[in-house]
Amino acid sequence: MSDAAADLVDEKVETRSQRLKRATRDLHEALDQRMMQGDLFSDRTRYALFLAMQWRFHAEIAALYGAPDLIAIAPDLPSRRKLEEIENDISDVGAAVPAADLRPVDAGDRASGLGWLYVAEGSSLGAAFLLKEAEKLGLGAEFGARHLAAHPEGRGLHWRRFTQALDAAELTEDEEARAEASAVAAFRRVREIAEETLRG
Ligand code: HEM
């Protein structure tokens, strides 16, 4: 098979969620490293910075979870919103919601919305590790780390339900490109928030 033909086959077998993963792998890895370097799980005061980061990101994307065009693609979207749990976690550890300026994401563009949601929902899959770290601080699904808890149906299944909906959405070529650019933008935005938060 020629290289071009092999590429075509590869393109066919790779799902949208797999493509988004590939497009953001390096950004995810760099972000993980930066966060671990930031020592966000060494005590509750540092952990409150992690919560502040999470709150800013989730506040900026909160409107996506109520957007009709996105709910048409993933009907369980409203129940996936984490903002209230993060706010409860913040008050559990005696901290306050950060006063930073928010840059809300445009909820009117479903293709971009899917890219941002891929990043937010994927972070709940990876949160098993973060929950373990939070547990070392005496926090957990009932107190202080509510937003890191696994969904009752299980993290893996809950994630697959989302990726199935994401992968099944019919997008134009232009929308496809916007979804990918938005997943990249989402990781860049989280990185930016992390830098600002860690700088203090
Ligand atoms: C120290 C911080 C982090 C660590 C150690 C971490 C770790 C992980 C791990 C281990 C997975 C794979 C889980 C699995 O396949 O079962 C994962 C997935 C993922 N994480 Fe993170 N993560 C971190 C922070 C974040 C943040 C802040 C975001 C974005 C807001 C994020 C977005 C994602 C996404 C989108 C996926 C899904 C990748 C895919 O399979 O398509 N992660 N993470």
Side-chain angles (χ1 to χ4, degrees), residues 3 9 12 17 19 26-27 29 37 39 54 65 71 73 103-104 108 132 134 144 147 156 169 175 181 186 193 196 198:
D3 281 355
V9 171
K12 279 220 174 91
S17 51
R19 196 163 51 76
D26 292 352
L27 289 167
E29 213 172 286
Q37 215 181 51
D39 219 15
Q54 293 287 73
Y65 291 87
I71 294 172
I73 293 170
R103 259 192 248 159
K132 284 209 180 82
H147 83 285
E175 285 181 315
I193 291 173
E196 286 177 15
L198 291 168

Side-chain angles (χ1 to χ4, degrees), residues 17-18 20-22 24 28 31-36 41 50 53-54 57-58 117-130 155 159 163 186-187 190:
S17 51
Q18 286 166 344
L20 296 182
K21 179 176 187 168
R22 185 163 53 81
T24 57
H28 181 264
L31 177 63
D32 288 0
Q33 279 174 15
R34 182 67 183 103
M35 285 173 61
M36 294 324 285
F41 294 86
F50 166 70
M53 245 187 88
Q54 293 287 73
F57 177 55
H58 285 267
L117 285 173
Y118 160 78
V119 177
E121 292 306 303
S123 72
S124 293
L125 176 70
F129 170 79
L130 303 182
R155 254 181 237 281
W159 169 239
T163 53
F187 268 108
V190 176

Side-chain angles (χ1 to χ4, degrees), residues 1 4 8 14 55 65-66 75 80 84 102 126-127 130 136 167 175 190:
M1 200 187 298
L8 265 181
E14 190 178 46
W55 185 85
Y65 291 87
R80 289 177 175 266
E84 289 74 17
L102 294 179
L130 303 182
K136 294 179 194 162
D167 293 342
E175 285 181 315
V190 176

Side-chain angles (χ1 to χ4, degrees), residues 2 15 32 54 56 61 83 89 96-97 121:
S2 71
T15 62
D32 288 0
Q54 293 287 73
R56 283 179 65 184
I61 61 169
L83 191 60
D89 289 339
V97 159
E121 292 306 303

